[in-house]
Amino acid sequence: MNSRLAEQISYLLLRHEYVVVPQLGGFIREKLPASYDRSKHLAYPPSAELHFNSEMTHSDGLLEERYALLLGLSLRRARLVLEEEVSQLRHQLIQQGTYHLSGIGELQLSREGHLSFTPDSTALATSASAYGYAPLSLPALPQATSGRQALSGEQDSRYISLRLPKRALGYAAAVVISILALLPWGNKVETEQHYQAGFTPSVEVARQLFGEEKKVSEASSEATAKDEQGNLRWSTEQDGRYYIIIATERTEERIQTYVEQARTTLPKASLTALRSPRGRTIRLALTSFDSSAEAYAYLNELVKEHPAHRSAWVFHNN
């Protein structure tokens, strides 16, 4: 009957960000925004990745309601049916050490009692074809270039290219020369104010006029310390640590919106932006730990104190 459990988890993951299986854990669907590969000229549609959090054992009611609707039972009896199927799953997991949820992935139980999860590459909740999307070819349009840009094949986005006829440039040059010829170059009057504008006082005169220089080192050091505390740290190294992830985006501009929100709710958090090895995903982490036990303990406290971060999850950067 656990095939029914896998089918209902997949059904709910297509409609919700996460689904909690009571007494087992939560399956999280991490949304990945659309992206564009300039080297291949392909626009990739939005997609998703599946993760598992063994600490999310408290039921959110989604599976119970689904079972009640599917089996035509009351919510209480549907909960009993669900608990029985989860009990069978846990028993087989203890006996064999692994359990495969069709269309979702495989659960592994270590000798120390830690649950891990490996998603299927063709999982229904993460497959782009399930949403009716496919990569779209968008080749770059040919554009006329000149000079050094024509040799390199690149265009500088800081400048605007204007195509002007040579005859118009000749007319403009003739007008400028005529105006310069009519200016009264020999009648320039130099006054005393002209020389005063270039006067530079000595150090002694400056002290008499403006007083001693104010010490601003303390204020500047405080501002610098504040900036360093609020800065976002970027990392691409796979250091093997366990990170608490609160957002996933494709661009730095989008990740900055989550940075501002996190600084409001958790001003003391040490924010870290983790780039994926392929550079197509950016994950925003609140903090990191050496072990999974410490990371999950922090995650439980975070969810209790800040319900807005309930969708946070633990990412092993290896």
Side-chain angles (χ1 to χ4, degrees), residues 198-263:
F199 169 71
T200 302
S202 62
V203 177
E204 292 76 14
V205 175
R207 288 178 178 176
Q208 294 177 5
L209 293 175
F210 308 111
E212 294 290 338
E213 181 182 2
K214 296 182 179 180
K215 296 182 179 179
V216 294
S217 58
E218 296 181 359
S220 61
S221 62
E222 293 178 358
T224 303
K226 184 177 180 181
D227 291 342
E228 291 178 355
Q229 182 179 3
N231 281 343
L232 174 66
R233 187 173 70 88
W234 290 85
S235 176
T236 56
E237 298 181 358
Q238 297 180 344
D239 51 11
R241 294 179 63 82
Y242 294 83
Y243 288 85
I244 307 299
I245 305 300
I246 61 173
T248 304
E249 287 293 344
R250 295 284 193 187
T251 62
E252 297 182 11
E253 292 76 9
R254 291 183 178 180
I255 211 70
Q256 284 295 337
T257 59
Y258 292 96
V259 171
E260 298 300 328
Q261 295 175 5
R263 287 175 179 169

Short mmCIF file of all heavy atoms in Angstrom, two decimals, residues 198-263:
data_model
loop_
_atom_site.label_atom_id
_atom_site.label_comp_id
_atom_site.label_asym_id
_atom_site.label_seq_id
_atom_site.Cartn_x
_atom_site.Cartn_y
_atom_site.Cartn_z
N GLY A 198 42.50 80.88 -8.01
CA GLY A 198 43.54 79.86 -7.99
C GLY A 198 44.43 79.93 -6.77
O GLY A 198 45.46 79.30 -6.73
N PHE A 199 44.06 80.71 -5.74
CA PHE A 199 44.88 80.86 -4.55
C PHE A 199 44.74 79.62 -3.67
O PHE A 199 43.66 79.15 -3.37
CB PHE A 199 44.44 82.10 -3.77
CG PHE A 199 45.05 82.18 -2.39
CD1 PHE A 199 46.40 82.47 -2.25
CD2 PHE A 199 44.28 81.95 -1.26
CE1 PHE A 199 46.96 82.54 -0.99
CE2 PHE A 199 44.85 82.03 -0.02
CZ PHE A 199 46.20 82.33 0.13
N THR A 200 45.90 79.03 -3.25
CA THR A 200 45.91 77.86 -2.38
C THR A 200 46.59 78.24 -1.07
O THR A 200 47.79 78.56 -1.05
CB THR A 200 46.68 76.70 -3.03
OG1 THR A 200 46.07 76.39 -4.28
CG2 THR A 200 46.66 75.47 -2.13
N PRO A 201 45.87 78.24 0.07
CA PRO A 201 46.48 78.65 1.33
C PRO A 201 47.47 77.61 1.83
O PRO A 201 47.35 76.43 1.55
CB PRO A 201 45.28 78.76 2.28
CG PRO A 201 44.28 77.80 1.71
CD PRO A 201 44.48 77.87 0.23
N SER A 202 48.46 78.08 2.59
CA SER A 202 49.42 77.17 3.19
C SER A 202 48.79 76.45 4.37
O SER A 202 47.65 76.72 4.76
CB SER A 202 50.66 77.97 3.66
OG SER A 202 50.26 78.90 4.65
N VAL A 203 49.56 75.51 4.98
CA VAL A 203 49.03 74.74 6.09
C VAL A 203 48.74 75.63 7.29
O VAL A 203 47.69 75.50 7.95
CB VAL A 203 50.03 73.63 6.48
CG1 VAL A 203 49.53 72.85 7.70
CG2 VAL A 203 50.26 72.70 5.30
N GLU A 204 49.66 76.60 7.58
CA GLU A 204 49.45 77.49 8.72
C GLU A 204 48.24 78.38 8.51
O GLU A 204 47.43 78.59 9.43
CB GLU A 204 50.71 78.35 8.95
CG GLU A 204 51.93 77.58 9.44
CD GLU A 204 52.59 76.80 8.32
OE1 GLU A 204 52.26 77.08 7.13
OE2 GLU A 204 53.42 75.93 8.62
N VAL A 205 48.09 78.93 7.28
CA VAL A 205 46.94 79.80 7.00
C VAL A 205 45.65 79.00 7.07
O VAL A 205 44.62 79.48 7.57
CB VAL A 205 47.12 80.45 5.61
CG1 VAL A 205 45.86 81.26 5.25
CG2 VAL A 205 48.34 81.36 5.61
N ALA A 206 45.67 77.77 6.58
CA ALA A 206 44.46 76.95 6.62
C ALA A 206 44.03 76.67 8.05
O ALA A 206 42.83 76.66 8.36
CB ALA A 206 44.70 75.64 5.88
N ARG A 207 45.01 76.45 8.95
CA ARG A 207 44.66 76.21 10.35
C ARG A 207 44.04 77.45 10.99
O ARG A 207 43.13 77.35 11.80
CB ARG A 207 45.89 75.76 11.12
CG ARG A 207 46.35 74.34 10.77
CD ARG A 207 47.60 73.97 11.52
NE ARG A 207 48.00 72.60 11.21
CZ ARG A 207 49.12 72.02 11.67
NH1 ARG A 207 49.94 72.73 12.46
NH2 ARG A 207 49.41 70.78 11.34
N GLN A 208 44.59 78.65 10.62
CA GLN A 208 44.04 79.89 11.17
C GLN A 208 42.62 80.13 10.66
O GLN A 208 41.77 80.62 11.38
CB GLN A 208 44.94 81.07 10.81
CG GLN A 208 46.32 81.01 11.47
CD GLN A 208 47.21 82.16 11.03
OE1 GLN A 208 46.75 83.05 10.30
NE2 GLN A 208 48.46 82.17 11.49
N LEU A 209 42.37 79.77 9.40
CA LEU A 209 41.04 80.02 8.81
C LEU A 209 40.01 78.99 9.24
O LEU A 209 38.88 79.33 9.57
CB LEU A 209 41.14 80.03 7.27
CG LEU A 209 41.94 81.19 6.66
CD1 LEU A 209 42.04 81.01 5.15
CD2 LEU A 209 41.26 82.53 6.98
N PHE A 210 40.38 77.70 9.22
CA PHE A 210 39.40 76.64 9.39
C PHE A 210 39.56 75.87 10.71
O PHE A 210 38.71 75.04 11.05
CB PHE A 210 39.50 75.62 8.24
CG PHE A 210 39.44 76.26 6.88
CD1 PHE A 210 40.55 76.29 6.06
CD2 PHE A 210 38.27 76.87 6.44
CE1 PHE A 210 40.48 76.87 4.80
CE2 PHE A 210 38.20 77.44 5.20
CZ PHE A 210 39.32 77.46 4.37
N GLY A 211 40.66 76.14 11.46
CA GLY A 211 40.86 75.43 12.71
C GLY A 211 41.52 74.08 12.49
O GLY A 211 41.89 73.72 11.38
N GLU A 212 41.69 73.31 13.58
CA GLU A 212 42.34 72.01 13.49
C GLU A 212 41.43 71.01 12.79
O GLU A 212 40.21 71.12 12.84
CB GLU A 212 42.69 71.49 14.90
CG GLU A 212 43.73 72.32 15.63
CD GLU A 212 45.10 72.17 15.00
OE1 GLU A 212 45.32 71.16 14.32
OE2 GLU A 212 45.94 73.07 15.18
N GLU A 213 42.03 70.01 12.17
CA GLU A 213 41.28 68.97 11.46
C GLU A 213 40.57 68.08 12.48
O GLU A 213 41.14 67.66 13.47
CB GLU A 213 42.22 68.09 10.62
CG GLU A 213 41.49 67.00 9.84
CD GLU A 213 42.47 66.15 9.06
OE1 GLU A 213 43.69 66.42 9.20
OE2 GLU A 213 42.03 65.24 8.37
N LYS A 214 39.28 67.78 12.23
CA LYS A 214 38.49 66.95 13.12
C LYS A 214 38.85 65.49 12.92
O LYS A 214 39.07 65.04 11.82
CB LYS A 214 36.99 67.15 12.87
CG LYS A 214 36.51 68.56 13.19
CD LYS A 214 35.02 68.67 12.96
CE LYS A 214 34.52 70.07 13.30
NZ LYS A 214 33.07 70.21 13.08
N LYS A 215 38.90 64.77 14.05
CA LYS A 215 39.22 63.36 13.99
C LYS A 215 37.94 62.57 13.71
O LYS A 215 37.00 62.61 14.49
CB LYS A 215 39.83 62.90 15.31
CG LYS A 215 41.15 63.57 15.62
CD LYS A 215 41.75 63.04 16.91
CE LYS A 215 43.08 63.69 17.20
NZ LYS A 215 43.66 63.19 18.47
N VAL A 216 37.95 61.89 12.60
CA VAL A 216 36.77 61.12 12.20
C VAL A 216 37.10 59.64 12.10
O VAL A 216 36.35 58.87 11.52
CB VAL A 216 36.21 61.63 10.85
CG1 VAL A 216 35.68 63.03 10.99
CG2 VAL A 216 37.29 61.55 9.76
N SER A 217 38.29 59.27 12.65
CA SER A 217 38.70 57.87 12.51
C SER A 217 37.75 56.93 13.24
O SER A 217 37.45 55.85 12.76
CB SER A 217 40.12 57.69 13.04
OG SER A 217 40.18 58.11 14.40
N GLU A 218 37.29 57.40 14.47
CA GLU A 218 36.40 56.52 15.22
C GLU A 218 35.08 56.31 14.50
O GLU A 218 34.58 55.20 14.40
CB GLU A 218 36.16 57.11 16.60
CG GLU A 218 37.42 57.19 17.45
CD GLU A 218 37.13 57.76 18.81
OE1 GLU A 218 35.95 58.11 19.05
OE2 GLU A 218 38.06 57.86 19.63
N ALA A 219 34.51 57.42 13.96
CA ALA A 219 33.23 57.30 13.25
C ALA A 219 33.37 56.45 12.01
O ALA A 219 32.52 55.63 11.69
CB ALA A 219 32.70 58.69 12.90
N SER A 220 34.50 56.68 11.28
CA SER A 220 34.69 55.90 10.05
C SER A 220 34.90 54.43 10.36
O SER A 220 34.44 53.55 9.63
CB SER A 220 35.87 56.44 9.26
OG SER A 220 37.06 56.35 10.03
N SER A 221 35.63 54.13 11.48
CA SER A 221 35.85 52.73 11.84
C SER A 221 34.54 52.06 12.23
O SER A 221 34.31 50.90 11.90
CB SER A 221 36.84 52.63 13.00
OG SER A 221 36.33 53.29 14.15
N GLU A 222 33.66 52.81 12.95
CA GLU A 222 32.37 52.23 13.30
C GLU A 222 31.54 51.96 12.06
O GLU A 222 30.87 50.93 11.97
CB GLU A 222 31.61 53.18 14.24
CG GLU A 222 32.25 53.31 15.60
CD GLU A 222 31.50 54.28 16.48
OE1 GLU A 222 30.50 54.87 16.00
OE2 GLU A 222 31.91 54.47 17.64
N ALA A 223 31.55 52.89 11.09
CA ALA A 223 30.79 52.68 9.85
C ALA A 223 31.33 51.49 9.08
O ALA A 223 30.57 50.70 8.51
CB ALA A 223 30.85 53.94 9.00
N THR A 224 32.67 51.36 9.06
CA THR A 224 33.27 50.22 8.35
C THR A 224 32.89 48.91 9.01
O THR A 224 32.57 47.93 8.34
CB THR A 224 34.80 50.37 8.34
OG1 THR A 224 35.13 51.62 7.73
CG2 THR A 224 35.43 49.24 7.55
N ALA A 225 32.93 48.89 10.36
CA ALA A 225 32.55 47.66 11.06
C ALA A 225 31.11 47.30 10.80
O ALA A 225 30.75 46.14 10.62
CB ALA A 225 32.79 47.82 12.56
N LYS A 226 30.24 48.34 10.73
CA LYS A 226 28.83 48.09 10.45
C LYS A 226 28.64 47.53 9.05
O LYS A 226 27.83 46.63 8.83
CB LYS A 226 28.03 49.38 10.62
CG LYS A 226 26.54 49.20 10.44
CD LYS A 226 25.81 50.49 10.70
CE LYS A 226 24.31 50.31 10.53
NZ LYS A 226 23.59 51.58 10.75
N ASP A 227 29.39 48.06 8.08
CA ASP A 227 29.27 47.57 6.70
C ASP A 227 29.74 46.13 6.62
O ASP A 227 29.14 45.31 5.94
CB ASP A 227 30.10 48.46 5.76
CG ASP A 227 29.48 49.85 5.64
OD1 ASP A 227 28.30 49.98 5.98
OD2 ASP A 227 30.20 50.77 5.24
N GLU A 228 30.88 45.82 7.34
CA GLU A 228 31.38 44.45 7.28
C GLU A 228 30.41 43.47 7.91
O GLU A 228 30.24 42.34 7.46
CB GLU A 228 32.74 44.38 7.98
CG GLU A 228 33.84 45.11 7.23
CD GLU A 228 35.16 45.05 7.98
OE1 GLU A 228 35.17 44.53 9.11
OE2 GLU A 228 36.16 45.54 7.44
N GLN A 229 29.71 43.92 8.97
CA GLN A 229 28.76 43.04 9.61
C GLN A 229 27.56 42.78 8.71
O GLN A 229 26.98 41.70 8.74
CB GLN A 229 28.31 43.67 10.93
CG GLN A 229 27.33 42.79 11.73
CD GLN A 229 26.95 43.42 13.03
OE1 GLN A 229 27.36 44.54 13.31
NE2 GLN A 229 26.15 42.74 13.83
N GLY A 230 27.15 43.77 7.93
CA GLY A 230 25.98 43.61 7.10
C GLY A 230 26.27 43.04 5.72
O GLY A 230 25.34 42.79 4.97
N ASN A 231 27.56 42.85 5.38
CA ASN A 231 27.89 42.35 4.05
C ASN A 231 27.47 40.90 3.89
O ASN A 231 27.40 40.15 4.85
CB ASN A 231 29.40 42.49 3.80
CG ASN A 231 29.78 43.91 3.44
OD1 ASN A 231 28.93 44.70 3.06
ND2 ASN A 231 31.05 44.23 3.55
N LEU A 232 27.21 40.52 2.65
CA LEU A 232 26.85 39.15 2.30
C LEU A 232 28.10 38.43 1.81
O LEU A 232 28.77 38.90 0.90
CB LEU A 232 25.76 39.15 1.23
CG LEU A 232 25.37 37.80 0.65
CD1 LEU A 232 24.72 36.95 1.74
CD2 LEU A 232 24.43 37.98 -0.52
N ARG A 233 28.40 37.28 2.41
CA ARG A 233 29.58 36.51 2.02
C ARG A 233 29.21 35.56 0.91
O ARG A 233 28.19 34.87 0.97
CB ARG A 233 30.13 35.73 3.21
CG ARG A 233 31.46 35.05 2.92
CD ARG A 233 32.02 34.46 4.19
NE ARG A 233 31.25 33.31 4.62
CZ ARG A 233 31.48 32.06 4.22
NH1 ARG A 233 32.48 31.81 3.38
NH2 ARG A 233 30.74 31.07 4.64
N TRP A 234 30.06 35.51 -0.14
CA TRP A 234 29.84 34.63 -1.28
C TRP A 234 30.83 33.48 -1.22
O TRP A 234 31.98 33.65 -0.84
CB TRP A 234 30.01 35.40 -2.59
CG TRP A 234 28.91 36.38 -2.83
CD1 TRP A 234 28.83 37.65 -2.36
CD2 TRP A 234 27.72 36.17 -3.59
NE1 TRP A 234 27.67 38.26 -2.76
CE2 TRP A 234 26.97 37.37 -3.54
CE3 TRP A 234 27.22 35.09 -4.31
CZ2 TRP A 234 25.75 37.50 -4.17
CZ3 TRP A 234 26.00 35.22 -4.96
CH2 TRP A 234 25.28 36.42 -4.88
N SER A 235 30.37 32.31 -1.63
CA SER A 235 31.22 31.13 -1.57
C SER A 235 30.85 30.17 -2.69
O SER A 235 29.67 30.02 -3.02
CB SER A 235 31.09 30.42 -0.22
OG SER A 235 31.86 29.23 -0.21
N THR A 236 31.88 29.57 -3.28
CA THR A 236 31.67 28.54 -4.30
C THR A 236 32.37 27.24 -3.91
O THR A 236 32.33 26.27 -4.66
CB THR A 236 32.21 29.00 -5.66
OG1 THR A 236 33.59 29.36 -5.53
CG2 THR A 236 31.42 30.19 -6.18
N GLU A 237 33.04 27.22 -2.74
CA GLU A 237 33.77 26.04 -2.31
C GLU A 237 32.83 25.01 -1.71
O GLU A 237 31.86 25.34 -1.04
CB GLU A 237 34.83 26.44 -1.27
CG GLU A 237 35.87 27.40 -1.80
CD GLU A 237 36.90 27.74 -0.75
OE1 GLU A 237 36.75 27.26 0.39
OE2 GLU A 237 37.84 28.50 -1.06
N GLN A 238 33.14 23.75 -1.93
CA GLN A 238 32.39 22.65 -1.33
C GLN A 238 33.12 22.23 -0.06
O GLN A 238 34.04 21.40 -0.08
CB GLN A 238 32.26 21.50 -2.32
CG GLN A 238 31.48 21.87 -3.57
CD GLN A 238 31.35 20.72 -4.55
OE1 GLN A 238 32.07 19.74 -4.44
NE2 GLN A 238 30.45 20.83 -5.49
N ASP A 239 32.73 22.83 1.07
CA ASP A 239 33.47 22.66 2.31
C ASP A 239 32.93 21.53 3.18
O ASP A 239 33.45 21.28 4.27
CB ASP A 239 33.45 23.96 3.12
CG ASP A 239 32.05 24.52 3.29
OD1 ASP A 239 31.08 23.80 2.97
OD2 ASP A 239 31.92 25.67 3.73
N GLY A 240 31.86 20.84 2.77
CA GLY A 240 31.33 19.72 3.54
C GLY A 240 30.51 20.12 4.74
O GLY A 240 30.12 19.25 5.53
N ARG A 241 30.20 21.40 4.92
CA ARG A 241 29.42 21.85 6.06
C ARG A 241 27.92 21.74 5.77
O ARG A 241 27.50 21.57 4.63
CB ARG A 241 29.79 23.29 6.43
CG ARG A 241 31.22 23.45 6.93
CD ARG A 241 31.53 24.90 7.24
NE ARG A 241 30.70 25.43 8.31
CZ ARG A 241 30.94 25.27 9.61
NH1 ARG A 241 32.00 24.57 10.00
NH2 ARG A 241 30.15 25.80 10.52
N TYR A 242 27.13 21.85 6.83
CA TYR A 242 25.68 21.77 6.73
C TYR A 242 25.10 23.19 6.85
O TYR A 242 25.27 23.84 7.89
CB TYR A 242 25.10 20.87 7.82
CG TYR A 242 25.50 19.42 7.67
CD1 TYR A 242 26.72 18.96 8.14
CD2 TYR A 242 24.65 18.51 7.04
CE1 TYR A 242 27.10 17.62 7.99
CE2 TYR A 242 25.02 17.18 6.89
CZ TYR A 242 26.23 16.74 7.37
OH TYR A 242 26.58 15.44 7.22
N TYR A 243 24.44 23.67 5.82
CA TYR A 243 23.93 25.03 5.75
C TYR A 243 22.40 25.06 5.91
O TYR A 243 21.70 24.15 5.44
CB TYR A 243 24.30 25.70 4.43
CG TYR A 243 25.76 26.05 4.30
CD1 TYR A 243 26.69 25.13 3.87
CD2 TYR A 243 26.21 27.33 4.63
CE1 TYR A 243 28.03 25.45 3.77
CE2 TYR A 243 27.55 27.67 4.52
CZ TYR A 243 28.46 26.73 4.09
OH TYR A 243 29.77 27.06 3.97
N ILE A 244 21.90 26.11 6.55
CA ILE A 244 20.45 26.33 6.67
C ILE A 244 20.03 27.22 5.51
O ILE A 244 20.34 28.42 5.48
CB ILE A 244 20.10 27.00 8.02
CG1 ILE A 244 20.69 26.20 9.18
CG2 ILE A 244 18.58 27.12 8.15
CD1 ILE A 244 20.17 24.78 9.29
N ILE A 245 19.32 26.66 4.54
CA ILE A 245 18.94 27.38 3.32
C ILE A 245 17.55 27.98 3.48
O ILE A 245 16.61 27.31 3.89
CB ILE A 245 18.96 26.43 2.10
CG1 ILE A 245 20.33 25.75 1.97
CG2 ILE A 245 18.62 27.20 0.83
CD1 ILE A 245 21.49 26.70 1.79
N ILE A 246 17.42 29.29 3.13
CA ILE A 246 16.12 29.97 3.21
C ILE A 246 15.61 30.44 1.86
O ILE A 246 14.44 30.82 1.74
CB ILE A 246 16.19 31.17 4.18
CG1 ILE A 246 17.20 32.21 3.66
CG2 ILE A 246 16.52 30.72 5.58
CD1 ILE A 246 17.19 33.50 4.46
N ALA A 247 16.45 30.42 0.82
CA ALA A 247 16.00 30.87 -0.50
C ALA A 247 16.93 30.32 -1.57
O ALA A 247 18.11 30.06 -1.31
CB ALA A 247 15.97 32.40 -0.58
N THR A 248 16.38 30.14 -2.77
CA THR A 248 17.14 29.68 -3.93
C THR A 248 16.72 30.50 -5.14
O THR A 248 15.53 30.59 -5.45
CB THR A 248 16.87 28.19 -4.21
OG1 THR A 248 17.17 27.42 -3.04
CG2 THR A 248 17.74 27.69 -5.37
N GLU A 249 17.68 31.11 -5.82
CA GLU A 249 17.40 31.94 -6.99
C GLU A 249 18.48 31.74 -8.03
O GLU A 249 19.49 31.07 -7.79
CB GLU A 249 17.30 33.42 -6.61
CG GLU A 249 16.05 33.80 -5.84
CD GLU A 249 14.78 33.69 -6.65
OE1 GLU A 249 14.88 33.60 -7.89
OE2 GLU A 249 13.69 33.67 -6.05
N ARG A 250 18.26 32.36 -9.21
CA ARG A 250 19.21 32.27 -10.30
C ARG A 250 20.14 33.47 -10.37
O ARG A 250 21.28 33.35 -10.82
CB ARG A 250 18.46 32.17 -11.64
CG ARG A 250 17.64 30.91 -11.81
CD ARG A 250 18.50 29.72 -12.12
NE ARG A 250 17.72 28.58 -12.58
CZ ARG A 250 18.18 27.38 -12.79
NH1 ARG A 250 19.45 27.12 -12.57
NH2 ARG A 250 17.40 26.40 -13.21
N THR A 251 19.68 34.66 -9.97
CA THR A 251 20.45 35.89 -10.14
C THR A 251 20.74 36.53 -8.80
O THR A 251 20.03 36.31 -7.80
CB THR A 251 19.70 36.90 -11.03
OG1 THR A 251 18.46 37.26 -10.38
CG2 THR A 251 19.38 36.27 -12.39
N GLU A 252 21.80 37.37 -8.76
CA GLU A 252 22.16 38.07 -7.55
C GLU A 252 21.11 39.12 -7.17
O GLU A 252 20.88 39.38 -5.99
CB GLU A 252 23.52 38.76 -7.73
CG GLU A 252 24.67 37.79 -7.99
CD GLU A 252 26.00 38.50 -8.11
OE1 GLU A 252 26.05 39.71 -7.80
OE2 GLU A 252 26.99 37.86 -8.52
N GLU A 253 20.45 39.73 -8.19
CA GLU A 253 19.44 40.74 -7.91
C GLU A 253 18.28 40.14 -7.12
O GLU A 253 17.78 40.74 -6.16
CB GLU A 253 18.92 41.37 -9.21
CG GLU A 253 19.94 42.23 -9.95
CD GLU A 253 20.97 41.41 -10.70
OE1 GLU A 253 20.78 40.17 -10.78
OE2 GLU A 253 21.95 41.99 -11.20
N ARG A 254 17.84 38.94 -7.51
CA ARG A 254 16.72 38.32 -6.80
C ARG A 254 17.11 37.86 -5.41
O ARG A 254 16.32 37.94 -4.47
CB ARG A 254 16.20 37.14 -7.62
CG ARG A 254 15.52 37.54 -8.91
CD ARG A 254 14.96 36.32 -9.63
NE ARG A 254 14.26 36.69 -10.85
CZ ARG A 254 13.67 35.82 -11.67
NH1 ARG A 254 13.69 34.53 -11.38
NH2 ARG A 254 13.05 36.23 -12.76
N ILE A 255 18.33 37.39 -5.25
CA ILE A 255 18.76 36.91 -3.93
C ILE A 255 18.88 38.05 -2.95
O ILE A 255 18.73 37.86 -1.73
CB ILE A 255 20.10 36.13 -4.06
CG1 ILE A 255 20.17 35.02 -2.99
CG2 ILE A 255 21.30 37.05 -3.92
CD1 ILE A 255 19.24 33.88 -3.21
N GLN A 256 19.14 39.28 -3.44
CA GLN A 256 19.26 40.44 -2.55
C GLN A 256 17.95 40.75 -1.84
O GLN A 256 17.95 41.27 -0.72
CB GLN A 256 19.74 41.66 -3.34
CG GLN A 256 21.21 41.63 -3.69
CD GLN A 256 22.12 41.69 -2.49
OE1 GLN A 256 21.73 42.16 -1.43
NE2 GLN A 256 23.34 41.21 -2.64
N THR A 257 16.80 40.45 -2.47
CA THR A 257 15.51 40.71 -1.82
C THR A 257 15.36 39.83 -0.58
O THR A 257 14.85 40.29 0.46
CB THR A 257 14.37 40.43 -2.80
OG1 THR A 257 14.43 39.06 -3.25
CG2 THR A 257 14.49 41.34 -4.01
N TYR A 258 15.83 38.58 -0.66
CA TYR A 258 15.77 37.71 0.51
C TYR A 258 16.79 38.12 1.56
O TYR A 258 16.58 37.91 2.75
CB TYR A 258 16.01 36.26 0.09
CG TYR A 258 14.90 35.68 -0.76
CD1 TYR A 258 14.99 35.68 -2.15
CD2 TYR A 258 13.75 35.16 -0.18
CE1 TYR A 258 13.97 35.15 -2.94
CE2 TYR A 258 12.73 34.63 -0.96
CZ TYR A 258 12.86 34.63 -2.34
OH TYR A 258 11.85 34.12 -3.10
N VAL A 259 17.90 38.70 1.12
CA VAL A 259 18.90 39.18 2.07
C VAL A 259 18.32 40.28 2.95
O VAL A 259 18.49 40.29 4.17
CB VAL A 259 20.15 39.69 1.32
CG1 VAL A 259 21.11 40.38 2.28
CG2 VAL A 259 20.86 38.53 0.63
N GLU A 260 17.60 41.22 2.33
CA GLU A 260 17.00 42.32 3.10
C GLU A 260 15.95 41.78 4.08
O GLU A 260 15.86 42.26 5.22
CB GLU A 260 16.37 43.33 2.15
CG GLU A 260 17.35 44.00 1.21
CD GLU A 260 18.44 44.76 1.96
OE1 GLU A 260 18.15 45.27 3.06
OE2 GLU A 260 19.56 44.84 1.45
N GLN A 261 15.15 40.80 3.66
CA GLN A 261 14.16 40.23 4.57
C GLN A 261 14.83 39.52 5.75
O GLN A 261 14.39 39.65 6.89
CB GLN A 261 13.28 39.25 3.80
CG GLN A 261 12.44 39.91 2.72
CD GLN A 261 11.66 38.88 1.90
OE1 GLN A 261 11.68 37.68 2.19
NE2 GLN A 261 10.96 39.34 0.86
N ALA A 262 15.90 38.78 5.47
CA ALA A 262 16.59 38.05 6.54
C ALA A 262 17.24 39.01 7.53
O ALA A 262 17.28 38.74 8.73
CB ALA A 262 17.62 37.11 5.94
N ARG A 263 17.77 40.12 7.03
CA ARG A 263 18.39 41.10 7.94
C ARG A 263 17.36 41.75 8.84
O ARG A 263 17.68 42.21 9.94
CB ARG A 263 19.13 42.16 7.13
CG ARG A 263 20.43 41.65 6.51
CD ARG A 263 21.06 42.69 5.62
NE ARG A 263 22.30 42.19 5.04
CZ ARG A 263 22.96 42.80 4.07
NH1 ARG A 263 22.50 43.93 3.56
NH2 ARG A 263 24.08 42.28 3.59
#
